């Protein structure tokens, strides 16, 4: 009599059943890998096409028989966009706004998150829920109210308006992520510091903050990317070309009757490079920070 009962690991015991089980497992893994490979190709194809087009000469860019990779590689589009347009100004504007808004949201967010995680006060849970709701609120609904506020404050066509708005939009995510990360740090460390006479700020700066490095890296990258790529509010608040950020400057390459695809592709490549560099440099910190913040939150 063939024994088809399951062993403690869940696999059938007979050889035929084991072979069938292994075949099923192999097919499932093969299907999963094929699905993930197809998904990766779909996600990466636009980026590959953009990068490839930025290295093509004009004759290949608009050729009838298009190829995925350039036949004659050239940096002419990058030279043209960097030396023949205001793109360096757009790059510097985006960098200043992204760094300032990121610093503001991370500094404010880490103190707020620590207060919610450690200090017991009335309304703490409601405050956290309000931040979560603010994170889910569609930003496009705020364009007109914020435009009126910025206009009344005399901040139209200034970078200060964008810095404050970007920091405010990134703040809910920063607080929620850092709150979850702070809650994973044992409170015994703070109790030991208190016994040694350290105040709450000293404990936070010298003990808690160094342990929260991966979480800070994750929220910093998130806030920077969000500011770096933002288009809508920059389009509404900025009016002069010297104040444009890179996404707005890139859109300005669209002329009345033509698209400068060579400049657009090269500009898009330049916008992507800093983000790619940061991800590769801080990948392990980002993963650790996201996982740490997801344990509690």
């Amino acid at each position: 009599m063939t024994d088809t009962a399951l062993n403690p690991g869940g696999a059938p015991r007979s050889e035929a059943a084991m072979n069938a089980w292994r075949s099923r497992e192999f097919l499932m893994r093969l299907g999963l890998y094929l699905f993930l490979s197809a998904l990766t190709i779909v996600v990466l194809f636009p980026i590959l096409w953009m990068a490839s087009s930025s290295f093509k000469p004009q004759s290949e860019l608009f050729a009838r028989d298009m190829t995925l990779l350039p036949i004659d590689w050239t940096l002419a589009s990058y030279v043209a966009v960097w030396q023949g347009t205001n793109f360096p100004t757009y790059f510097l504007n985006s960098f200043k706004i992204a760094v300032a808004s990121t610093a503001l949201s991370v500094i404010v967010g880490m103190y707020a998150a620590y207060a919610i995680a450690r200090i017991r006060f009335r309304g703490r849970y409601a405050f956290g829920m309000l931040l979560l709701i603010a994170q889910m609120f569609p930003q496009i609904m705020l364009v007109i109210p914020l435009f009126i506020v910025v206009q009344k404050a005399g901040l139209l066509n200034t970078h200060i308006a964008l810095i404050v708005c970007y920091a405010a939009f990134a703040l809910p995510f920063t607080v929620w992520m850092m709150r979850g990360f702070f809650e994973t740090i044992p409170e015994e460390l703070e109790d030991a510091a208190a016994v040694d006479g350290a105040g709450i700020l000293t404990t936070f700066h010298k003990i808690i903050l160094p342990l929260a490095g991966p979480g800070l890296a994750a929220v910093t990258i998130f806030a920077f990317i969000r500011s770096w790529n933002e288009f809508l509010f920059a389009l509404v608040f900025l009016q002069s070309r010297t104040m444009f950020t890179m996404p707005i400057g890139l859109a300005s390459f669209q002329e009345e009757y033509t698209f400068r695809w060579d400049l657009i592709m090269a500009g898009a490549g330049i916008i992507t490079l800093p983000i790619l560099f940061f991800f590769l440099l801080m990948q392990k910190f980002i993963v650790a920070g996201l996982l740490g913040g997801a344990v509690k939150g």
Side-chain angles (χ1 to χ4, degrees):
M1 179 177 178
T2 304
D3 184 7
T4 58
L6 297 179
N7 62 17
R13 288 177 178 169
S14 70
E15 186 174 351
M18 283 292 292
N19 290 335
W21 178 74
R22 286 171 180 163
S23 299
R24 211 164 41 245
E25 283 287 307
F26 173 77
L27 290 175
M28 289 178 62
R29 286 180 180 274
L30 181 63
L32 178 63
Y33 288 135
L34 288 176
F35 172 74
L36 292 177
S37 299
L39 187 62
T40 303
I41 292 173
V42 170
V43 171
L44 291 181
F45 184 78
I47 300 174
L48 177 61
W49 187 264
M50 174 201 72
S52 169
S53 299
S54 67
F55 291 106
K56 289 181 178 178
Q58 288 272 356
S59 56
E60 288 187 38
L61 201 58
F62 302 104
R64 178 174 298 179
D65 299 326
M66 301 186 73
T67 58
L68 178 59
L69 297 178
I71 298 174
D72 296 323
W73 292 75
T74 177
L75 293 173
S77 298
Y78 286 94
V79 174
V81 78
W82 195 260
Q83 296 184 351
T85 68
N86 289 327
F87 207 76
T89 303
Y90 305 152
F91 186 93
L92 186 61
N93 291 340
S94 286
F95 185 77
K96 288 190 298 185
I97 293 171
V99 169
S101 62
T102 300
L104 184 60
S105 66
V106 171
I107 291 173
V108 175
M110 69 183 185
Y111 287 109
Y114 186 68
I116 294 175
R118 286 293 193 258
I119 300 175
R120 305 290 185 266
F121 58 91
R122 182 175 295 179
R124 185 177 65 146
Y125 178 77
F127 182 71
M129 291 305 297
L130 283 175
L131 285 176
L132 186 62
I133 293 172
Q135 176 67 27
M136 295 184 292
F137 200 78
Q139 293 182 9
I140 194 170
M141 297 179 65
L142 300 175
V143 172
I144 295 177
L146 280 179
F147 178 82
I148 296 173
V149 171
V150 169
Q151 188 181 38
K152 296 279 186 187
L155 295 176
L156 269 184
N157 201 33
T158 66
H159 291 161
I160 296 177
L162 289 180
I163 290 171
V164 174
C165 286
Y166 293 168
F169 292 143
L171 204 53
F173 178 83
T174 303
V175 173
W176 266 90
M177 284 297 301
M178 291 308 299
R179 173 200 174 190
F181 205 87
F182 287 141
E183 287 179 344
T184 64
I185 298 175
E187 292 187 46
E188 288 78 7
L189 295 174
E190 296 160 81
D191 296 337
V195 170
D196 291 338
I200 185 169
L201 288 179
T202 303
T203 304
F204 178 69
H205 291 147
K206 294 188 175 180
I207 297 177
I208 302 301
L209 211 50
L211 295 175
L216 282 175
V219 297
T220 299
I221 289 293
F222 169 80
F224 185 85
I225 292 174
R226 189 165 187 161
S227 302
W228 187 258
N229 293 330
E230 205 283 330
F231 178 83
L232 179 61
F233 287 92
L235 178 66
V236 174
F237 292 166
L238 301 179
Q239 297 167 348
S240 62
R241 285 185 176 273
T242 56
M243 302 299 287
F244 279 1
T245 58
M246 279 195 296
I248 308 302
L250 203 62
S252 69
F253 294 156
Q254 175 186 346
E255 299 174 354
E256 187 174 3
Y257 299 108
T258 60
F259 285 89
R260 292 298 306 270
W261 287 114
D262 53 336
L263 301 182
I264 292 174
M265 292 298 173
I270 294 174
I271 291 177
T272 307
L273 279 179
I275 302 300
L276 187 62
F277 174 75
F278 277 128
F279 261 114
L280 294 177
L281 187 66
M282 307 182 74
Q283 185 180 12
K284 65 178 182 180
F285 297 107
I286 294 171
V287 173
L290 291 175
L291 291 178
V295 174
K296 294 180 180 180

